[in-house]
Amino acid sequence: MYIVAIAWIYVIIMMAVTERNFISGALTFLLYGVLPLALIAFLSGFRRRTAPPSDELPDRDVDQHDRSDAERDQ
């Protein structure tokens, strides 16, 4: 999804550069580039993921008993 967004922004920047003045270039960039891309990204779940709730975190106590095996080998 990132490569599509980067390619779309590149095309829109090239379109905005060819406009006759700065205002029309800025409006082209915003209306054809940023706003549609933001809408599609929001609808497709392109936003940052949140951390899982604390009850879904893995247990940290699982690997603590591995030291006894290493001590026995030494």
Side-chain angles (χ1 to χ4, degrees):
M1 182 70 182
Y2 288 116
I3 192 72
V4 173
I6 292 168
W8 181 252
I9 290 294
Y10 176 76
V11 169
I12 298 304
I13 287 173
M14 293 297 117
M15 286 176 57
V17 167
T18 61
E19 292 291 337
R20 293 180 186 241
N21 58 22
F22 180 76
I23 299 297
S24 61
L27 287 176
T28 298
F29 181 70
L30 288 175
L31 296 177
Y32 288 130
V34 174
L35 292 178
L37 187 62
L39 178 66
I40 290 171
F42 178 74
L43 292 177
S44 67
F46 193 59
R47 57 191 177 271
R48 178 179 284 172
R49 303 284 183 211
T50 59
S54 61
D55 59 342
E56 294 181 12
L57 291 176
D59 293 332
R60 303 286 183 210
D61 298 332
V62 174
D63 294 330
Q64 289 183 355
H65 301 290
D66 290 339
R67 290 186 175 183
S68 62
D69 294 338
E71 290 172 359
R72 215 175 324 147
D73 291 338
Q74 293 176 359

